Amino acid sequence: MPHKWAFVAGTALLLATNALYLGIPLALGRMVEALRIGQADAVATQCLWLSAFAIATAITRIGSRLLIFNAARAAEYDLRGQLFS
């Protein structure tokens, strides 16, 4: 399987996407808690963490889709070439 490593890397990025996505509700919960007890500096910090998790999630999601979809397209192209040869 010539495209194996692209699928493996895409799957790893997909797992990273899911792990990073879990940070968003965590940061949001901490932000609400900081608002509840009146810690404005903690709210700003959690807002930055929320933004960082969202950006990292987007980057890893795009990377996983590029790797997996392009590898699938290349595998389909190779298979079609073998079929018609």
Side-chain angles (χ1 to χ4, degrees), residues 9-52:
T11 302
L13 281 176
L14 192 58
L15 292 172
T17 298
N18 290 329
L20 288 166
Y21 186 73
L22 294 175
I24 294 173
L26 248 163
L28 188 59
R30 289 181 179 168
M31 190 184 312
V32 169
E33 183 62 25
L35 277 171
R36 190 182 68 76
I37 60 177
Q39 291 182 338
D41 57 337
V43 173
T45 302
Q46 291 306 316
C47 186
L48 290 175
W49 275 110
L50 182 87
S51 299

